[in-house]
Amino acid sequence: MSESRRKIAARVQHGLWLIFFVQIAVGLFVDLPYSYWMSWLPALGAMAVGLVGSRSARRRIDKQPPAPVEVAPPVTGRWSALNSPADKVPSHGTHHLAQTYAIDIAAEPADGPSRPAPVWFWPVAHRNEAYPAFGASLHAVADATVVHAEDGQRDHLSRSSLLGVLYFWLIEGVCRMLGGSRRIVGNHVVLDLGGGTYALYAHVRRGSLEVRAGDRVVAGQVLGRCGNSGNSTQPHVHFQLMDGPDVDTARGVPFSWRGVGVPHGGEVFTVGADAAVPTSPGGA
């Protein structure tokens, strides 16, 4: 599927979901002029568009899997992998928003407080400061050019219980989906690494970015801080490589972190402060 067709498909899918949820809201106050089952057609259409795009991405991967791009790790210190492409592809269960090879990681300091464990009922949420990842520095994975940077969205409380997660997906998640991709990824920065490869850092802390679009950065340079904005249940780093700067139309690109590889889910790894070597995978 060409980039222009992917862009059209993304807009159609977003529009269909918007129509569906507007119907739901209107139906709470007035009777719709058609049957209840007809109101589900936009949702079914949105899911069909997503399924076609997912199958197209799967066929491309099966036909010719892209080679991993080696970059430096985006963090320093001791971390553990959560959702990882080392365990399954697509790692987040979808090719949407170029997440095919995305990874989530959480800080696991050896000599400090650990992150709160999930619970069933209470507390529903924790403050972000309870998580060691919150405020951790994010580093450029290569010499690059900043093509997008925004950090004006709030960092919401973590969702640390079953009730909190249900609220997150059924209320917050729906509202962010209607707000478009920028609301889903939250505060984020996109780097042009050269050679048609782009790096996305999502869920960045509000007001923490030290770079703006057009800036040149070198590998290891601090870009901002880990946060909990967008579709995020706890402070963590979401990192992915893409073949374009727009998450709505780009496709995921596999990565390998220099000195680390691709950690499996649950795997703990440590990155030294000097791990980022100033090189560019694409010659930017």
Side-chain angles (χ1 to χ4, degrees), residues 135-150:
S137 58
L138 304 174
H139 301 262
V141 296
D143 296 350
T145 300
V146 180
V147 295
H148 184 84
E150 64 171 281

Side-chain angles (χ1 to χ4, degrees), residues 177-198:
M177 181 178 66
L178 296 178
S181 57
R182 62 180 295 270
R183 294 296 181 184
I184 295 174
V185 300
N187 300 320
H188 61 287
V189 59
V190 178
L191 303 182
D192 181 355
L193 309 184
T197 303
Y198 297 78

Side-chain angles (χ1 to χ4, degrees), residues 16 31 63 73-75 86 94 116 129 157 160 171 192 251 267:
L16 289 171
D31 291 331
K63 183 177 180 181
V75 296
T94 178
E129 288 76 11
L157 296 176
S160 50
I171 305 298
D192 181 355
R251 294 177 295 195
E267 179 181 345

Side-chain angles (χ1 to χ4, degrees), residues 25-266:
V26 172
L28 296 175
F29 303 98
V30 300
D31 291 331
L32 298 174
Y34 42 83
S35 71
Y36 167 79
W37 299 110
M38 289 288 289
S39 67
W40 280 87
L41 289 178
L44 294 175
M47 287 186 282
V49 172
L51 181 61
V52 170
S54 180
R55 285 184 173 178
S56 175
R58 170 56 63 188
R59 285 196 300 269
R60 182 183 70 92
I61 293 172
D62 291 341
K63 183 177 180 181
Q64 186 177 4
V69 176
E70 184 181 77
V71 293
V75 296
T76 60
R78 190 172 183 267
W79 295 75
S80 66
L82 304 177
N83 300 318
S84 171
D87 301 314
K88 65 175 182 177
V89 175
S91 59
H92 286 55
T94 178
H95 299 283
H96 186 50
L97 302 184
Q99 296 181 93
T100 303
Y101 303 100
I103 190 170
D104 292 332
I105 58 175
E108 304 283 1
D111 55 355
S114 60
R115 54 194 172 100
V119 296
W120 280 103
F121 296 109
W122 192 262
V124 173
H126 283 98
R127 293 193 175 278
N128 291 317
E129 288 76 11
Y131 293 81
F134 190 66
S137 58
L138 304 174
H139 301 262
V141 296
D143 296 350
T145 300
V146 180
V147 295
H148 184 84
E150 64 171 281
D151 62 356
Q153 300 181 49
R154 70 181 180 90
D155 293 286
H156 54 76
L157 296 176
S158 70
R159 308 308 177 195
S160 50
S161 71
L162 176 61
L163 293 176
V165 171
L166 288 175
Y167 171 78
F168 170 81
W169 285 116
L170 298 179
I171 305 298
E172 289 184 325
V174 169
C175 292
R176 292 195 186 95
M177 181 178 66
L178 296 178
S181 57
R182 62 180 295 270
R183 294 296 181 184
I184 295 174
V185 300
N187 300 320
H188 61 287
V189 59
V190 178
L191 303 182
D192 181 355
L193 309 184
T197 303
Y198 297 78
L200 167 73
Y201 304 68
H203 314 311
V204 176
R205 184 173 181 174
R206 184 177 188 177
S208 72
L209 286 180
E210 300 180 17
V211 296
R212 290 295 179 262
D215 289 353
R216 286 285 299 169
V217 298
V218 297
Q221 180 175 332
V222 174
L223 305 173
R225 303 285 169 177
C226 173
N228 195 35
S229 57
N231 264 10
S232 171
T233 58
Q234 64 173 282
H236 71 283
V237 175
H238 175 107
F239 175 85
Q240 65 190 51
L241 294 186
M242 314 178 292
D243 66 358
D246 184 353
V247 295
D248 283 315
T249 59
R251 294 177 295 195
V253 173
F255 71 90
S256 176
W257 286 334
R258 190 175 300 114
V260 176
V262 184
H264 289 269

